[in-house]
Amino acid sequence: LLGPDDCGSLLRPRPRNTHKGSYGSVVIVGGNVGMVGAPLLAARAALRLGAGRVYVDCIGAPDLRLDPLQPELMFRSLAGLDGLTACVVGCGMGANDRARAALEQALDGSWPLVVDADALNLLAADPALSQRCRGRNSPTVLTPHPLEAARLLECDVRSVQGDRVEAARALARRFGAIAVLKGAGSVVACADGYAISPAGSPALAT
């Protein structure tokens, strides 16, 4: 069971003589037409979690240049960014050709990658994309809810929910990744172990 003591190394005090460049850069890729709010939510969360620079690539709103609530967010295309610390792909991304191209670019990068939402559905629907994901040399984290997990595992939701730990570990083995099977008691699994997070509440179900 994950608890505060397991996260202590992530909460080290920050020295006074640091700046935003000291704390990495992350890009959130997604936001197809009508779904721009999803990457904005993820980007705002990245700021609160302590990322030094946060970029947003809204593939369905290329002219978006400002988040009035978090004006420190920067809007850039993934193709124009160098030296990223991490990439998150899939939030509100959709499933059209533009979304597929964005996922391919994210998978081919050398950065640690979080694959979420529509990007997971694209992986499930396309064996070639799944193979590219498995072939990555950098850390990869998959964050499916039970239906997305069922698609990735080619089974039904009942099977996933019947043994959530094994489903998460099967995803980790299949993709050579860390799998976070979301739910009331999210399972965080790698090929040789797992933990369960008690965090979250029904307030997240919106």
Side-chain angles (χ1 to χ4, degrees), residues 4 107 115:
L107 289 171
V115 185

Side-chain angles (χ1 to χ4, degrees), residues 2-174:
L2 289 174
D5 291 344
D6 298 302
C7 304
S9 64
L10 302 175
L11 302 174
R12 293 187 298 271
R14 293 187 165 188
R16 290 175 59 86
N17 61 337
T18 56
H19 52 83
K20 65 185 178 184
S22 305
Y23 300 108
S25 56
V26 58
V27 61
I28 315 297
V29 183
N32 217 318
V33 177
M35 294 293 291
V36 172
L40 289 182
L41 286 170
R44 292 171 185 174
L47 285 174
R48 286 164 172 75
L49 287 166
R53 294 186 178 100
V54 182
Y55 301 96
V56 186
D57 182 358
C58 286
I59 63 174
D63 294 330
L64 182 63
R65 291 291 178 266
L66 175 69
D67 176 3
L69 295 182
Q70 298 285 174
E72 60 268 51
L73 293 176
M74 295 172 282
F75 292 79
R76 310 275 174 83
S77 168
L78 175 60
L81 294 172
D82 295 314
L84 290 168
T85 309
C87 176
V88 178
V89 63
C91 309
M93 196 167 72
N96 58 14
D97 290 343
R98 185 183 296 167
R100 180 191 168 90
L103 177 56
E104 288 175 343
Q105 191 172 34
L107 289 171
D108 290 345
S110 59
W111 41 68
L113 179 66
V114 177
V115 185
D116 186 43
D118 289 327
L120 295 168
N121 294 325
L122 287 169
L123 287 183
D126 190 326
L129 286 175
S130 291
Q131 183 58 43
R132 285 168 92 152
C133 185
R134 283 191 291 271
R136 298 190 79 245
N137 293 320
S138 298
T140 305
V141 181
L142 309 178
T143 60
H145 58 54
L147 180 56
E148 291 163 344
R151 292 170 181 150
L152 290 166
L153 292 171
E154 301 176 89
C155 65
D156 56 33
V157 175
R158 179 173 293 184
S159 298
V160 170
Q161 294 293 76
D163 191 341
R164 288 172 50 80
V165 167
E166 179 51 35
R169 296 185 67 185
L171 281 170
R173 291 192 297 267
R174 177 172 292 199

